[in-house]
Amino acid sequence: MNDGHFSTTHAGDTINAALNRVLAEIKAFLPTMTDFHAAKYVRALDFAQRQVAATVERSPDYFPIYTVSGRWNHPGELWTDWTGGFFAGLMWQFFNRTADPAWRTRAEHYSRLLEHRQHDRNVHDLGFIFLNTYQPWYEWTHDERLHEVLIQAGRTLAMRFRERGQYLCSFIGPESLFIDIMMNVPIIFYAARETDDAELRRIGTAHCRTTRDHLVRPDGSTAHEGIFDVETGRFLRQSTHQGLRADSNWARGLAWSLYGYSQVYALTGDREHLDVAERNADFWLTHLPKDHVPYWDFAADLAAPLPWGPQKDSSAAAIAASGLLDLERQTTDVARAVAYRQTALAMLDALVEPEYLASETPGAEGILKHGVYHTAKNLGVDESVMWGDFFFVEALTKVVHPQE
């Protein structure tokens, strides 16, 4: 991992030493900037725990995805089954926060319900499912059986790799590459690191580079999907399922990219991945609306009727906030570190207010309101969504209980 210090030469030792001191002082100071926010953040975390506990009591062994009229349990379409790790992952976060054995019992139980999916070749979301469940479980216990589940999940995801094209294909089909997969490819790097498997590392790196070259644009914005010729592997065009247009910038997709490349950098120390994450972050910071919560697509026509017009996506804000808090510690650029922290806190400040936090909304079962799942399919639009709740809690926890 990069240690966060500027490189030095004999000619520039004095200047670089001064810069390093400034950087260290700023990074040491930044966590104290959260004192003003802490009370609201803690109350939001307490509320989140109550909401999840109530959902467990109300619908045992149920894995929510999105609400309908504020309720989790409904017969609505899944589109794809990818979010179980967020619900169980929330329980692991609450156990880490409180050390309450009841949360550990719940977390282990719900994680076990997902274990069979280590062999699931029908989805590209095994990182979401296992890094948020079996990884914290393994870190607590060092049980080798749990470790093996994580490694198998990474190997299973790697089976989606297309040599012709050099990418992990999405659940849509062999021709399809999703930006979302950047949040799942870290489990391949994890498995590669834990087993010293050069082939897994090659697959993960190739996927990141293909995504960078074909889905991440020069200005840091992202396409949702890339389409390839399955016979030749030639890239054909950008596309979308969840954004406004193929050439637009679906907000959650940009957040996935920003956070995903940051996670890959954390696992590999390869600067090329941090460069992409910073490019994504630059676009995010310069295109956020004044209230710091993005619309569902950065190209949305704000004069158009809902849901295609000015529909907010609180889940995209939560994902990006958590990713920016990591980037703040990874970057060696002082100005970027400050901007990332300030923007993450500004987004969280907005999300802990009643406009987005469901704490004052009677009957609401989620944590965050005004999330979006799939606009074109009209699934989970202006509702609570499980990934939004997960990353909101994760981001708040990084501020309130920073890891040393």
Side-chain angles (χ1 to χ4, degrees):
M1 282 284 296
N2 187 301
D3 65 3
H5 285 246
F6 297 96
S7 62
T8 60
T9 64
H10 292 298
D13 278 349
T14 302
I15 294 174
N16 283 317
L19 287 172
N20 282 325
R21 283 196 298 272
V22 171
L23 179 60
E25 289 170 1
I26 289 176
K27 287 189 172 182
F29 169 71
L30 284 172
T32 70
M33 295 167 60
T34 68
D35 292 347
F36 176 77
H37 313 271
K40 281 189 176 181
Y41 290 8
V42 168
R43 286 196 296 270
L45 286 169
D46 291 342
F47 169 69
Q49 289 183 198
R50 293 194 299 272
Q51 290 294 84
V52 172
T55 299
V56 170
E57 181 70 22
R58 188 167 47 243
S59 302
D61 295 351
Y62 179 72
F63 286 93
I65 294 184
Y66 62 93
T67 61
V68 171
S69 300
R71 305 295 194 270
W72 285 122
N73 202 334
H74 55 79
E77 179 187 349
L78 299 182
W79 194 40
T80 179
D81 186 5
W82 61 286
T83 65
F86 298 131
F87 194 51
L90 279 167
M91 300 172 199
W92 282 111
Q93 290 197 64
F94 297 150
F95 173 63
N96 287 336
R97 177 181 181 234
T98 66
D100 182 343
W103 280 119
R104 178 166 179 171
T105 298
R106 292 172 180 141
E108 291 185 359
H109 173 74
Y110 277 81
S111 297
R112 286 192 190 96
L113 296 178
L114 299 168
E115 184 168 318
H116 67 284
R117 300 198 64 189
Q118 66 185 292
H119 301 289
D120 189 345
R121 297 186 62 181
N122 295 316
V123 298
H124 57 247
D125 303 295
L126 297 183
F128 284 144
I129 294 169
F130 288 98
L131 290 176
N132 300 321
T133 54
Y134 275 73
Q135 186 175 11
W137 194 359
Y138 173 64
E139 288 172 351
W140 272 102
T141 65
H142 299 289
D143 182 338
E144 186 57 29
R145 188 189 67 81
L146 306 176
H147 194 220
E148 290 171 359
V149 171
L150 283 163
I151 292 167
Q152 180 58 54
R155 288 173 172 158
T156 300
L157 180 59
M159 293 177 189
R160 305 192 70 82
F161 190 67
R162 305 286 298 180
E163 287 293 345
R164 294 181 180 178
Q166 298 285 291
Y167 61 93
L168 299 160
C169 63
S170 83
F171 81 97
I172 293 293
E175 76 285 358
S176 170
L177 162 65
F178 271 19
I179 195 68
D180 317 41
I181 301 173
M182 280 309 307
M183 284 291 286
N184 291 281
V185 71
I187 200 167
I188 294 178
F189 284 106
Y190 177 88
R193 184 188 69 187
E194 297 300 293
T195 61
D196 196 25
D197 189 323
E199 176 64 5
L200 287 177
R201 191 174 299 112
R202 179 188 74 84
I203 288 171
T205 300
H207 175 84
C208 292
R209 289 172 176 169
T210 300
T211 302
R212 174 197 65 195
D213 294 344
H214 296 300
L215 297 191
V216 181
R217 305 182 183 113
D219 65 357
S221 66
T222 54
H224 178 208
E225 183 183 35
I227 302 296
F228 291 76
D229 183 316
V230 296
E231 296 300 324
T232 66
R234 184 170 65 90
F235 175 72
L236 299 176
R237 66 186 183 277
Q238 294 182 348
S239 182
T240 192
H241 291 265
Q242 292 174 273
L244 180 66
R245 300 183 308 269
D247 65 346
S248 70
N249 185 10
W250 175 48
R252 191 164 84 244
L254 178 60
W256 289 146
S257 184
L258 181 161
Y259 199 168
Y261 277 102
S262 168
Q263 286 189 315
V264 171
Y265 174 65
L267 284 161
T268 66
D270 293 336
R271 174 76 203 199
E272 64 181 285
H273 306 304
L274 180 60
D275 289 343
V276 181
E278 290 183 339
R279 187 152 37 111
N280 294 148
D282 288 348
F283 187 96
W284 187 276
L285 267 61
T286 55
H287 288 79
L288 269 184
K290 290 183 179 180
D291 69 352
H292 296 99
V293 178
Y295 297 101
W296 69 284
D297 193 297
F298 282 96
D301 180 356
L302 304 188
L306 295 173
W308 298 97
Q311 173 62 53
K312 294 289 191 174
D313 185 4
S314 59
S315 75
I319 297 159
S322 192
L324 287 171
L325 289 169
D326 286 356
L327 276 177
E328 175 244 322
R329 294 181 178 275
Q330 292 172 328
T331 186
T332 58
D333 184 302
V334 173
R336 278 194 166 110
V338 173
Y340 295 162
R341 180 93 181 171
Q342 290 176 337
T343 303
L345 292 178
M347 289 191 289
L348 291 175
D349 286 349
L351 295 180
V352 297
E353 293 298 326
E355 173 63 23
Y356 291 97
L357 191 68
S359 57
E360 297 181 15
T361 304
E365 295 177 357
I367 299 167
L368 282 183
K369 302 180 293 183
H370 307 311
V372 176
Y373 181 12
H374 198 307
T375 300
K377 285 180 169 287
N378 195 30
L379 302 177
V381 176
D382 200 25
E383 293 282 354
S384 296
V385 292
M386 184 47 59
W387 53 93
D389 287 1
F390 175 87
F391 288 104
F392 175 61
V393 168
E394 182 182 79
L396 290 176
T397 302
K398 287 176 181 178
V399 177
V400 175
H401 305 289
Q403 296 291 321
E404 297 299 331

